[in-house]
Amino acid sequence: MAKVAILGFGTVGSGVAEVLQANGPHISEKVHAPVELKYILDVRDFPDSPFADKIIHDFGMIEADPEVDIVVETIGGAKIAREFTERALRAGKSVVTSNKELVAEHGFQLMELARANEVSYLYEASVGGGIPIIRPLKQCLAANEIEAICGILNGTTNYILTRMIRSGLSFQEALKEAQANGYAEADPTADIEGHDACRKICILASLAFGRHIYPSQVPTEGITGVTLADVAYADSCGRKIKLLGRAIRQKDGSLITFVAPHLVDGEDPLAGVEDVFNAITVKGNATGDVMFYGRGAGKLPTASAVVADVMEAARTKGRPKYLDWGPGGEDVTVPPDRLKSAWYVRAEASAEAIRTAFAAPSFLARAGAPAGETAFLTQPMTRERLEQALRSLKPKSVFRVL
Ligand code: HSE
């Protein structure tokens, strides 16, 4: 018998309760023991919910109840969620989370605490919603040296970009739709400024490369600077604008990790990933490219990943399998400036000025471009070289080309 407590009855927490109830017999059969929801902790009351009798307001009850084996943390944020996670682990309970902020900021310490208490700390739902990526990366691809990870890691921004590309919606109109559909974080800044994607690439890169990579070490640019003009220029050269989280192991062993909008070739499978879907390409030195694709946000897809971890924690009680990594440090990453790529630039400058600053630019065209606006793709170069060349121009948008 495994008894479960859910912390936070929001979108994901309520999805977890529903999946545990709807699929109860199937879950218990697979775990070879009943898995029962005992408590739901929230500051609010939910008198009309079918789970009203499980709602409590005092975490101390969960902490002190020896019957509770597994705590599901779906509160979010890195304050109270961190305190309750630490207290649950110290009380000898496994913790399952969808909280990418907490894992990205404090994963190493929490995993150490889980080891010290011989319980699990599992976080499959923290990246890619319902997409299995954490366990495949750690276990199924274990024989590989991972060379690179490149992913569309945020459903809200992918939805916004898709609506801009497909329907010509403005950024603001598309954001409103994403919020109405429940995809965006409570504060959409985390989505549109790239912080959510940053946390997710931190988790993937820490797992793949074995050292904790903190969000503050990852240069991050969101999509607020992407305009319909950029979308049109990208389209004119057969490309789509996508927000990518990337982690690259260079030949000298150094690691580059960053988040930024990119122009992705229409033939690349990532270009076909639309709406709220996420996709992650992992390049292993034995497998080559492996791609993971699915719903990266939403109540039931995310709950599916959480409940699978609950089942894993129940199955491995007393002999947990650790999905952890080593400590961080200032030497873990190097800035992406050294990474060469072609660049897309939209500037207020004449074609002549651009030809003077750049060797062999490839000019782009769009209908309705105002006089004086010029867009082009550069030859592959570092950011340092790009910035030198742009010094005499007035760039409006600058994105890497994948
Ligand atoms: N706001 C997130 C997204 C939710 O849009 O991807 C899932 O992490």
Side-chain angles (χ1 to χ4, degrees), residues 9 51 63 76 83 116 120 123 125 135 162 168 234 243 250 256 259 282 284 292 326 332 335 367:
F9 199 50
F51 300 100
E63 191 178 25
E83 183 199 324
S120 298
Y123 49 94
R135 212 165 283 120
T162 303
L243 182 67
Q250 303 196 101
I256 289 176
V259 174
V282 180
F292 299 86
V332 178

Side-chain angles (χ1 to χ4, degrees), residues 317-351:
K317 189 178 171 191
R319 45 187 171 81
K321 286 189 194 151
Y322 299 105
L323 296 173
D324 53 2
W325 54 68
E330 279 179 16
D331 59 333
V332 178
T333 59
V334 296
D337 303 16
R338 286 201 251 159
L339 183 69
K340 277 190 181 177
S341 67
W343 298 81
Y344 157 83
V345 179
R346 181 170 61 88
E348 259 177 45
S350 67

Side-chain angles (χ1 to χ4, degrees), residues 18 68 78 86 130 167 176 179 228 237 289 331 343 362 396:
E18 283 172 30
V68 174
E86 288 178 352
S167 309
K176 260 193 207 134
Q179 286 176 307
L228 287 172
C237 59
D289 281 343
D331 59 333
W343 298 81
S362 173
K396 296 277 181 198

